[in-house]
């Protein structure tokens, strides 16, 4: 009986078996396989189904780990953004509190001084700027007689009257116990004098009824001093001249407007 012929080796001379894969070199072919172009890279073909399954499982696990890591980073970013927003809100609140009068809600003395200095340094040099100082007449008597709650309400009402009767570019502030400042950055002398007179007349024309306490009726009047910014003077000097004009109005009998001498020359 003739001996069977030896079987040929399954791997061609040009191929190598590496870890369950059959690697084909560029430009060589095997029986039953398509020809590979010399310009294409080597192609690794999985030789065993279980090897392919293992590789796919490993890839899926790595992708899952990466996705979980990205989600953790996104969560940390959201927490950091929320904390930053809270810090910004707290900072805005702190700045607001530092520059606002708690009783009237108007600007306080610190805020007023900052704006006054800015106007004196810039706007006042190129356009008219005027300062109005107003003080509630006999406020201490009202505060002591009616109580601080009533006194605070009177301060709020007077602040609202001042704010409602000046232009939007003006700054109204409570600068002392019963003293208010009104900064008019671009206002002529005649406009300023007219506004100051109107504020006096508005409060003196009718008794003030305290909100929440209709039985409390008070006659409220203002003494007002006005000063225009003069070239070369500081904001402190400007403030002092307006304040001196205010006390001149009180000395002359209250419920009136007194204009600083430099502004009188302009009128």
């Amino acid at each position: 009986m003739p001996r069977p012929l030896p079987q040929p080796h399954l791997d061609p001379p040009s191929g190598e078996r590496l870890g369950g894969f059959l690697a084909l070199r560029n430009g060589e072919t095997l029986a039953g396989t398509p020809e590979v172009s010399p310009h294409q890279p080597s192609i690794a073909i999985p030789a065993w189904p279980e090897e392919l399954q293992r590789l796919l499982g490993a890839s899926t696990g790595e992708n899952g780990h990466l996705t979980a890591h990205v989600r953790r980073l996104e969560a940390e970013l959201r927490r950091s953004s929320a904390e930053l927003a809270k810090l910004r809100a707290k900072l805005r609140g702190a700045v607001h509190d530092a520059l606002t009068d708690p009783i009237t809600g108007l600007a306080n003395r610190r805020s007023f001084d900052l704006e006054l200095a800015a106007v004196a340094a810039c706007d006042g040099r190129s356009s008219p700027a005027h300062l109005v100082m107003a003080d509630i007449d006999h406020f201490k008597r009202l505060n002591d007689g009616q109580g601080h709650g009533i006194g605070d309400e009177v301060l709020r009402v007077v602040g609202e009257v001042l704010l409602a009767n000046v232009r939007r570019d003006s700054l109204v502030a409570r600068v002392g116990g019963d003293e208010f400042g009104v900064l008019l950055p671009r206002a002529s002398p005649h406009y300023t004098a007219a506004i100051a007179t109107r504020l006096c007349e508005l409060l003196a024309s009718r008794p003030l009824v305290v909100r929440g306490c209709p039985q409390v009726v008070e006659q409220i009047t203002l003494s007002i001093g006005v000063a225009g910014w003069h070239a070369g003077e500081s904001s402190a000097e400007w403030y002092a001249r307006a304040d001196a004009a205010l006390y001149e109005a009180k000395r002359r009998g209250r419920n009136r407007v007194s204009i600083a001498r430099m502004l009188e020359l302009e009128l």
Side-chain angles (χ1 to χ4, degrees):
M1 182 173 179
R3 297 177 60 185
L5 294 175
Q7 296 296 318
H9 199 281
L10 293 179
D11 293 336
S14 58
E16 296 180 359
R17 183 173 297 277
L18 299 174
F21 289 87
L22 185 63
L24 304 181
R25 293 190 178 90
N26 291 339
E28 297 180 356
T29 60
L30 292 178
T33 61
E35 183 176 353
V36 179
S37 170
H39 301 290
Q40 294 180 347
S42 298
I43 303 174
I45 304 175
W48 311 106
E50 58 270 18
E51 185 71 11
L52 177 60
Q53 185 175 1
R54 183 185 69 79
L55 290 174
L56 290 176
S59 176
T60 302
E62 290 176 359
N63 288 339
H65 177 73
L66 180 60
T67 301
H69 181 62
V70 170
R71 288 176 178 173
R72 283 196 299 270
L73 291 177
E74 289 176 344
E76 291 177 5
L77 180 60
R78 284 193 295 269
R79 285 194 298 269
S80 298
S81 299
E83 291 174 0
L84 182 59
K86 289 179 182 178
L87 289 175
R88 285 175 175 168
K90 287 182 179 180
L91 179 60
R92 286 194 296 268
V95 171
H96 178 269
D97 292 344
L99 299 177
T100 304
D101 173 55
I103 294 178
T104 63
L106 299 173
N108 61 13
R109 176 63 185 269
R110 178 185 299 177
S111 178
F112 193 72
D113 285 346
L114 290 173
E115 190 65 21
L116 193 67
V119 171
C122 298
D123 292 351
R125 298 183 187 278
S126 59
S127 60
H130 293 86
L131 177 58
V132 175
M133 300 300 298
D135 188 88
I136 302 175
D137 296 327
H138 305 296
F139 180 76
K140 187 178 185 305
R141 184 175 65 191
L142 180 150
N143 207 34
D144 293 342
Q146 299 290 348
H148 293 289
I150 301 300
D152 289 350
E153 185 60 31
V154 169
L155 291 172
R156 281 189 282 269
V157 172
V158 171
E160 290 172 3
V161 170
L162 296 177
L163 194 61
N165 287 276
V166 296
R167 297 186 315 206
R168 288 188 177 183
D169 63 348
S170 306
L171 176 65
V172 179
R174 181 187 173 211
V175 298
D178 59 339
E179 193 171 359
F180 295 83
V182 181
L183 178 59
L184 306 173
R186 285 171 288 275
S188 69
H190 294 282
Y191 170 81
T192 303
I195 285 295
T197 301
R198 174 173 170 78
L199 292 173
C200 264
E201 292 174 348
L202 276 174
L203 286 169
S205 63
R206 60 185 184 277
L208 185 148
V209 179
V210 179
R211 286 173 296 198
C213 302
Q215 73 279 8
V216 179
V217 179
E218 292 287 343
Q219 185 70 38
I220 300 297
T221 61
L222 294 178
S223 295
I224 294 179
V226 176
W229 182 82
H230 183 69
E233 74 177 342
S234 67
S235 59
E237 292 169 334
W238 185 15
Y239 188 98
R241 286 197 303 107
D243 207 40
L246 165 62
Y247 281 95
E248 176 64 17
K250 284 188 173 293
R251 190 188 66 79
R252 289 168 53 190
R254 296 182 172 84
N255 190 25
R256 66 186 66 240
V257 176
S258 178
I259 299 175
R261 184 173 301 173
M262 289 182 181
L263 186 56
E264 284 180 342
L265 294 177
E266 295 173 5
L267 289 171

